[in-house]
Amino acid sequence: MENGHSIPVFLTKLYTIVQGNQEQEILRFDESGRILVLADQERLQQYLLPEYFGHKNLPSFLRYYTLNMDRQLNMYGFKKRHNNGVLEFKHKYFRRDGKQGLQVNQDNF
Protein backbone atom coordinates (compact mmCIF):
# COMPACT_ATOMS: atom_id res chain seq x y z
CA MET A 1 0.00 0.00 0.00
CA GLU A 2 3.00 2.26 -0.35
CA ASN A 3 1.62 3.83 -3.51
CA GLY A 4 -1.89 4.31 -2.08
CA HIS A 5 -3.34 1.19 -3.67
CA SER A 6 -5.26 -1.32 -1.65
CA ILE A 7 -5.89 -4.97 -2.36
CA PRO A 8 -9.47 -5.55 -3.57
CA VAL A 9 -11.73 -6.96 -0.83
CA PHE A 10 -12.60 -10.02 -2.92
CA LEU A 11 -8.91 -10.99 -3.21
CA THR A 12 -8.26 -10.36 0.48
CA LYS A 13 -11.17 -12.63 1.47
CA LEU A 14 -10.14 -15.28 -1.03
CA TYR A 15 -6.59 -15.27 0.33
CA THR A 16 -7.92 -15.54 3.89
CA ILE A 17 -10.01 -18.56 2.91
CA VAL A 18 -7.16 -20.47 1.28
CA GLN A 19 -4.82 -19.73 4.17
CA GLY A 20 -7.30 -21.13 6.74
CA ASN A 21 -6.53 -24.62 7.99
CA GLN A 22 -10.18 -25.70 8.18
CA GLU A 23 -10.89 -24.74 4.59
CA GLN A 24 -8.08 -26.78 3.00
CA GLU A 25 -10.42 -29.62 2.03
CA ILE A 26 -12.62 -27.14 0.19
CA LEU A 27 -10.34 -24.52 -1.33
CA ARG A 28 -6.55 -24.57 -1.18
CA PHE A 29 -3.31 -23.96 -3.01
CA ASP A 30 -1.71 -26.91 -4.78
CA GLU A 31 1.71 -28.19 -3.71
CA SER A 32 3.49 -25.52 -5.75
CA GLY A 33 1.53 -22.72 -4.08
CA ARG A 34 0.70 -21.21 -7.47
CA ILE A 35 -2.62 -22.84 -8.33
CA LEU A 36 -5.88 -22.39 -6.44
CA VAL A 37 -7.73 -25.72 -6.21
CA LEU A 38 -11.50 -25.79 -5.66
CA ALA A 39 -11.82 -29.33 -4.35
CA ASP A 40 -15.39 -29.22 -3.02
CA GLN A 41 -17.76 -26.82 -4.76
CA GLU A 42 -20.77 -27.98 -2.72
CA ARG A 43 -19.11 -27.21 0.62
CA LEU A 44 -17.85 -23.92 -0.76
CA GLN A 45 -21.44 -22.98 -1.50
CA GLN A 46 -22.80 -24.27 1.81
CA TYR A 47 -20.19 -22.95 4.21
CA LEU A 48 -17.58 -20.58 2.88
CA LEU A 49 -19.59 -18.24 0.68
CA PRO A 50 -22.13 -17.42 3.41
CA GLU A 51 -19.41 -17.07 6.06
CA TYR A 52 -16.97 -14.92 4.10
CA PHE A 53 -19.24 -13.14 1.67
CA GLY A 54 -22.33 -12.69 3.85
CA HIS A 55 -24.91 -14.51 1.75
CA LYS A 56 -27.77 -16.54 3.20
CA ASN A 57 -28.06 -20.27 2.61
CA LEU A 58 -30.75 -19.89 -0.03
CA PRO A 59 -29.88 -22.11 -2.99
CA SER A 60 -30.59 -19.36 -5.51
CA PHE A 61 -28.16 -16.99 -3.82
CA LEU A 62 -25.55 -19.72 -3.64
CA ARG A 63 -25.90 -20.64 -7.30
CA TYR A 64 -25.76 -16.95 -8.27
CA TYR A 65 -22.76 -16.25 -6.09
CA THR A 66 -20.84 -19.27 -7.33
CA LEU A 67 -21.27 -17.93 -10.84
CA ASN A 68 -20.38 -14.46 -9.59
CA MET A 69 -17.25 -15.83 -7.87
CA ASP A 70 -16.21 -17.37 -11.18
CA ARG A 71 -16.78 -13.96 -12.82
CA GLN A 72 -14.81 -12.26 -10.04
CA LEU A 73 -11.89 -14.64 -10.55
CA ASN A 74 -12.06 -14.02 -14.30
CA MET A 75 -12.29 -10.25 -13.78
CA TYR A 76 -9.05 -10.32 -11.76
CA GLY A 77 -7.21 -12.31 -14.43
CA PHE A 78 -7.42 -15.83 -13.01
CA LYS A 79 -7.34 -18.57 -15.61
CA LYS A 80 -9.66 -21.53 -15.01
CA ARG A 81 -8.92 -25.12 -15.94
CA HIS A 82 -10.41 -28.53 -15.16
CA ASN A 83 -8.07 -31.17 -13.80
CA ASN A 84 -9.70 -34.60 -13.40
CA GLY A 85 -13.03 -33.06 -12.45
CA VAL A 86 -11.51 -30.51 -10.07
CA LEU A 87 -11.62 -26.80 -10.85
CA GLU A 88 -8.30 -24.99 -10.66
CA PHE A 89 -7.52 -21.30 -10.99
CA LYS A 90 -4.15 -19.68 -11.63
CA HIS A 91 -2.85 -16.13 -11.51
CA LYS A 92 0.81 -15.20 -11.61
CA TYR A 93 0.57 -12.96 -8.50
CA PHE A 94 -1.93 -14.91 -6.36
CA ARG A 95 0.35 -17.30 -4.47
CA ARG A 96 0.63 -19.05 -1.15
CA ASP A 97 3.85 -17.23 -0.27
CA GLY A 98 2.10 -14.05 0.78
CA LYS A 99 -0.24 -11.19 0.16
CA GLN A 100 2.74 -8.92 -0.50
CA GLY A 101 2.64 -10.00 -4.12
CA LEU A 102 -0.98 -8.91 -4.33
CA GLN A 103 -0.14 -5.52 -2.88
CA VAL A 104 2.94 -4.88 -4.98
CA ASN A 105 1.28 -6.08 -8.18
CA GLN A 106 -2.26 -4.85 -7.47
CA ASP A 107 -2.32 -2.85 -10.72
CA ASN A 108 -2.17 -6.17 -12.58
CA PHE A 109 -5.49 -7.33 -11.13
Side-chain angles (χ1 to χ4, degrees), residues 39-69:
D40 192 334
Q41 187 171 353
E42 186 175 315
R43 287 177 57 203
L44 174 83
Q45 292 174 337
Q46 289 178 340
Y47 303 111
L48 298 185
L49 293 183
E51 179 180 343
Y52 287 93
F53 296 98
H55 289 272
K56 304 286 184 197
N57 281 329
L58 297 173
S60 60
F61 273 136
L62 296 176
R63 278 194 302 275
Y64 168 78
Y65 204 79
T66 300
L67 292 173
N68 196 33
M69 182 176 175

Side-chain angles (χ1 to χ4, degrees), residues 21-39:
N21 291 331
Q22 297 175 350
E23 288 82 9
Q24 297 296 304
E25 294 177 5
I26 301 171
L27 187 67
R28 65 181 177 277
F29 285 107
D30 73 344
E31 295 81 25
S32 74
R34 297 179 178 172
I35 295 174
L36 188 60
V37 178
L38 175 51

Side-chain angles (χ1 to χ4, degrees), residues 2 5 8 12 27 30-31 33 36-37 39 46-48 50 53 61 64 73-74 77 80 83 86 91-92 99 101 105:
E2 296 171 0
H5 291 120
T12 301
L27 187 67
D30 73 344
E31 295 81 25
L36 188 60
V37 178
Q46 289 178 340
Y47 303 111
L48 298 185
F53 296 98
F61 273 136
Y64 168 78
L73 289 167
N74 187 43
K80 179 172 70 171
N83 185 4
V86 174
H91 191 286
K92 63 183 174 179
K99 285 198 300 190
N105 299 294

